[in-house]
Amino acid sequence: MADLIVKAAVKDALNEMNVASDFYDALDGEVQELLEDASRRAKENDRKTVQPRDL
């Protein structure tokens, strides 16, 4: 699986919180699931363009 998130951006977004090293893998997995679901919804609606409503 490709890395879908930018670790530095996640760390910046979480401000002064510490981030466990395995958090990034878990977050990447969640993002992958969101993308797969959005793609499926777009296909079910006969579209090749994923739109915000697919989330």
Side-chain angles (χ1 to χ4, degrees):
M1 173 171 35
D3 288 335
L4 298 172
I5 59 158
V6 177
K7 292 178 182 179
V10 172
K11 182 100 172 113
D12 287 346
L14 292 174
N15 297 318
E16 297 181 17
M17 297 292 296
N18 293 324
V19 181
S21 60
D22 55 348
F23 177 82
Y24 297 110
D25 289 333
L27 180 59
D28 203 64
E30 292 291 322
V31 171
Q32 181 65 39
E33 286 182 31
L34 280 171
L35 295 174
E36 289 170 0
D37 289 346
S39 174
R40 178 185 46 79
R41 285 186 195 102
K43 287 177 185 175
E44 288 173 354
N45 287 292
D46 297 318
R47 288 184 281 113
K48 290 187 177 185
T49 303
V50 178
Q51 301 176 353
R53 64 183 176 201
D54 296 316
L55 293 173

